[in-house]
Amino acid sequence: ADGLRIATWVRDELPTDAVLAVAPTNTQPVTSLSGHAVVSGYPGWTFDLGVADWEGRAEDEVAILRGGPEALSQIRRYGVDHVVIGPIERSPEFRADDAWWASNGEVVYSAGEWTVYAVPPS
C-alpha cells in the first residue's frame, strides 16, 4: 500500500518530465503506475523494446541507488531529478544506501518504508 502511495504521489505531484531512479524490476510501483520516466525499467522489458543500452542503464540505475561519486555521475548523465528508495531498492539485489541518500538528498515525500529524495544540486 505504501508503494502505491509513493507512485500516486509521484504521478500527481512531480512535473510530468521528471526522471526518477528506482529499482529496475517488474514489481516497482513507480515504474508501473506513475507515468514518469525512469532510468531503466525491468531489463527484460527494455531489452524487448529494443533499447540499445538496456543492460548498462540497469547497472547505472543501481549505482545511483547505492550513492556516492558514481551515483552523482549517473544522475547527471541521465538527468535524474528524484530517487525512490523502498524495500525493493534495499533488497540484497540492489542494496540502496539509505544513509548516503539521507545525507545527500532532500526528502520530498515518504510513506511507510518508502522515501522520495530530490537529488543533490549540481
Side-chain angles (χ1 to χ4, degrees), residues 1-94:
D2 291 331
L4 295 176
R5 283 190 219 8
I6 291 290
T8 300
W9 184 87
V10 167
R11 181 194 68 210
D12 294 344
E13 301 299 328
L14 292 183
T16 57
D17 60 350
V19 177
L20 291 93
V22 300
T25 179
N26 62 345
T27 59
Q28 214 302 331
V30 169
T31 303
S32 300
L33 303 171
S34 75
H36 280 72
V38 296
V39 174
S40 176
Y42 176 61
W45 295 341
T46 55
F47 171 79
D48 288 347
L49 292 170
V51 176
D53 60 344
W54 66 274
E55 189 171 26
R57 281 180 163 272
E59 292 168 359
D60 295 342
E61 192 163 47
V62 171
I64 292 169
L65 297 175
R66 292 179 182 169
E70 180 68 15
L72 295 173
S73 172
Q74 298 307 333
I75 284 167
R76 305 298 174 251
R77 177 178 181 194
Y78 292 103
V80 173
D81 303 295
H82 295 82
V83 173
V84 175
I85 296 183
I88 298 168
E89 289 75 16
R90 288 186 200 94
S91 72
E93 182 177 3
F94 304 115

